[in-house]
Structure formats: C-alpha cells, structure tokens
Amino acid sequence: MITRIREVRRAKKMTLQDVADRCDPPTTPQTIGRLETGTRTVSVGWLNRIAGALGVEAGDLVQLPDREDLPVAAILEHDGAHAPRRSGVAVPPHPEAGMVAVAVAAGVGDYRAGDELWCRRLAPDAFGQALNRDVLVPRPAGRFLFARLIGREEGKLHLLPLGAGGRQTVLADPAWLAVAVRLIRSL
C-alpha cells in the first residue's frame, strides 16, 4: 500500500511533531516519520489515528486506483506563479465533527451568491476565539443572525451586520455560535 501521509502533512503545513502530538493517544515524531517513509508498516489503526491528527479521512492518506489525485502544479506568491520545490497533492476539505454550513443565496459583505461557508460550533466559554470573525448566531423561533462578532462583555455579544449601513446588535449569550472557518467558492 502506497501512502500519502507525508504529502498530506506538508499540505497541512504540519511538522512530524505536530502530527505525533495530535494523535490519540500521542506518539513520537520518529514513529510518524517511519510510517511516512514505509520503514514501518501502516495498519488501518495507524491510518485512522494519523487521519484524525491531520483532520482528513483515512482514505486521503493512501493512493487508491479508482481516485485521481489533484497534483499541485504551481505555487502562487507575491511575485507570480512558480513550480513547487517538491511534488505535492491538494487535500480535499472535510468537515470536522459538529460543523454547520451557511449557503449564501445573495451577496452580502465579502460573500457572493453561491458561496458556502463552513462554520465551527463553539460553546460560550470559547466565544472569545471568534472575536473579529464572522459568526452564525442562533436566535429564538429557528432564526439566525450572521454577523461580525466585535465584542463580548457581561454575557452579551456585540455583533455588526455584514452589509453596509447596518447597526450593531447586542444579544444575550446564546447556547452556541459558529465561527466561519472555510469559504467554498466556485469561480
């Protein structure tokens, strides 16, 4: 079995130590390196552990005969497009557990009709992680507010609508909110 552990790890900009620390249970960077190079046999259990650490599906870590890889042909930098220093593949996005999506039907703020936003749900004790980010906030009666979280104090959220001319809204802390973490856009 040919693995793509190293390519996926590099695409995620993670070190051997990062992956080793995020494995459940944690392991050593040397073990991850041996699994990457094939000097140690990769079992299904190891594939699942490493996939969890990298935030991908186990199938993304192996070359499958019926799936075409998407090679990285160029790296776009401030001075133009360049050939990559080493070969790599693009890793398809996969949602994390507990994520929710927002489908954009009409352009608002930086978002265009047809965009899809993937949002990570946060509990009230983690709302600080979403400051100055776009968030989806549940409201009573099945309604939602999508706005920029600009402040939080004394159990209240301060939200600024994304459209021009909107007024700040102050809401009592909801049971959860979801911070936008990935934009999926067709060109």
Side-chain angles (χ1 to χ4, degrees):
M1 169 173 39
I2 300 172
T3 68
R4 298 177 28 213
I5 298 170
R6 177 174 285 162
E7 290 87 358
V8 173
R9 176 180 59 79
R10 287 179 175 164
K12 294 279 194 172
K13 302 198 181 340
M14 293 174 69
T15 65
L16 292 170
Q17 185 69 55
D18 294 336
V19 176
D21 291 344
R22 292 183 184 172
C23 277
D24 185 23
T27 187
T28 65
Q30 294 81 8
T31 299
I32 301 299
R34 289 182 189 116
L35 293 164
E36 281 186 355
T37 60
T39 56
R40 182 169 177 182
T41 304
V42 180
S43 67
V44 172
W46 271 112
L47 277 178
N48 288 331
R49 283 175 67 188
I50 294 171
L54 291 169
V56 299
E57 299 291 324
D60 294 332
L61 299 179
V62 295
Q63 283 185 323
L64 301 173
D66 61 340
R67 186 177 76 193
E68 187 73 26
D69 284 338
L70 183 61
V72 174
I75 306 293
L76 185 59
E77 297 179 315
H78 60 78
D79 58 345
H82 303 281
R85 291 188 195 105
R86 56 187 106 147
S87 64
V89 295
V91 179
H94 291 285
E96 301 168 17
M99 291 185 82
V100 296
V102 175
V104 180
V108 61
D110 294 331
Y111 306 111
R112 304 179 197 158
D115 286 352
E116 187 176 282
L117 300 166
W118 291 8
C119 304
R120 181 181 312 115
R121 285 175 57 143
L122 300 175
D125 62 338
F127 285 176
Q129 296 173 18
L131 278 173
N132 297 316
R133 309 264 308 269
D134 295 339
V135 297
L136 179 69
V137 181
R139 305 280 312 268
R143 296 176 302 140
F144 290 91
L145 175 64
F146 190 74
R148 173 78 40 106
L149 178 61
I150 58 172
R152 180 177 187 225
E153 60 182 328
E154 300 175 13
K156 293 183 180 175
L157 300 178
H158 298 263
L159 300 147
L160 191 60
L162 301 181
R167 294 186 56 173
Q168 176 179 327
T169 303
V170 178
L171 298 174
D173 276 354
W176 60 273
L177 65 73
V179 61
V181 294
R182 184 174 300 268
L183 169 65
I184 309 294
R185 175 177 286 168
S186 296
L187 299 177

